[in-house]
C-alpha cells in the first residue's frame, strides 16, 4: 500500500504532463503513458536536486517540488477536453489491462531480475544516505557517470516505504511493463472490436516477451 501511495502522485503528474504538453487526448493512451512519464520526470528532478541537497531530505524535497510542478502545469497550461472512449471500448481497454496484468504478475514474480542487482541495490541503499555523486561501493574512487537513474528511484521508493528493494524492484517493473504493453496496443489505434484488440496483442507480445 505504501508503494502505491508513493506512486499515485507520480502517476498523476505524468498524466497531467502528457495531457497538458502534448496533443494526445484519448483517455486510454493518457492512462498508459502517465506512469512512465511521471517516473522519468521524478528521476530527473531527484537527480538534479541531489547536486544541492543529499540524503533522505533530498528525496522528500524533490518529491514535494515534483508534485508542485504538476500543480503549476495543471493550472497554467490549458488544453482540450479528454476524449473518453465509449463503453465497449473502455471494456476492451480494461480487459486488455487485466490480461496483461495477470501475465506480467506471473512473469515478473517468477523471473531472475538480472546479474547486476547487487550493484543496483547498493546504489539505491547508499543514495538515501547521501551517496551522490554516485560512487560504487567496490570502486569508491570512480564516480558512476551513467545508468543509475533506476537505482536512485528505487532508493527513494525504499526510503518512503521501508519495503525490501527486491519487492520494490519487481513491483515497479511490473507496473512499467504493464503501462508499456498498453501503450503499444492503444497508441496507434482505438480498438472498437475484439478482433482488432486480439490482433494488436501481438505487438507487446513480440516487444516485451
Amino acid at each position: 500500500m505504501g508503494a502505491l501511495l508513493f506512486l499515485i502522485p507520480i502517476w498523476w503528474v505524468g498524466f497531467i504532463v502528457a495531457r497538458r504538453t502534448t496533443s494526445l487526448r484519448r483517455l486510454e493512451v493518457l492512462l498508459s503513458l502517465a506512469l512512465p512519464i511521471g517516473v522519468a520526470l521524478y528521476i530527473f528532478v531527484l537527480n538534479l536536486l541531489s547536486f544541492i541537497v543529499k540524503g533522505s531530505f533530498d528525496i522528500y524535497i524533490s518529491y514535494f517540488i515534483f508534485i508542485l510542478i504538476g500543480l503549476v502545469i495543471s493550472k497554467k497550461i490549458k488544453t482540450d477536453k479528454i476524449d473518453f472512449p465509449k463503453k465497449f471500448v473502455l471494456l476492451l481497454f480494461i480487459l486488455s489491462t487485466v490480461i496483461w496484468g495477470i501475465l506480467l504478475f506471473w512473469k515478473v514474480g517468477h523471473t531472475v531480475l538480472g546479474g547486476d542487482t547487487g550493484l543496483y541495490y547498493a546504489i539505491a541503499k547508499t543514495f538515501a544516505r547521501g551517496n551522490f555523486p554516485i560512487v560504487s561501493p567496490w570502486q569508491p574512487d570512480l564516480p558512476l557517470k551513467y545508468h543509475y537513474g533506476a537505482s536512485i528511484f528505487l532508493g527513494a521508493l525504499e526510503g518512503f516505504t521501508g519495503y525490501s528493494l527486491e519487492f520494490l524492484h519487481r513491483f515497479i517493473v511490473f507496473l512499467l511493463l504493464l503501462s508499456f504493453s498498453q501503450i503499444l496496443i492503444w497508441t496507434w489505434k482505438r480498438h472498437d472490436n475484439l478482433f482488432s484488440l486480439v490482433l494488436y496483442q501481438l505487438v507487446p507480445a513480440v516487444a516485451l516477451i
Side-chain angles (χ1 to χ4, degrees), residues 1-2 4 17 19 35 38 42 46 75-76 116 130 136 139 141 154 174 181 207:
M1 182 60 72
L4 275 177
V17 170
R19 185 189 173 198
L35 186 62
Y42 177 62
L46 181 63
K75 296 294 184 182
K76 296 296 183 180
D116 295 329
S136 163
Q139 293 178 304
D141 57 326
L154 272 180
F174 164 74
S181 70

Side-chain angles (χ1 to χ4, degrees), residues 52-69:
I52 304 171
V53 183
K54 294 177 174 59
S56 59
F57 184 69
D58 166 45
I59 294 172
Y60 288 101
I61 194 67
S62 62
Y63 192 68
F64 172 78
I65 292 175
F66 173 75
I67 294 173
L68 189 62
I69 290 172

Side-chain angles (χ1 to χ4, degrees), residues 51 97 127 181:
F51 288 98
T97 304
F127 171 75
S181 70

Side-chain angles (χ1 to χ4, degrees), residues 6 48 56 58 90 101 103 107-108 113 120 133-134 161 195 201:
F6 175 80
L48 187 64
S56 59
D58 166 45
L90 181 59
L103 174 64
K107 185 70 174 177
V108 173
L113 291 173
Y120 300 154
I134 301 294
T161 65
F195 175 78
Q201 301 298 311

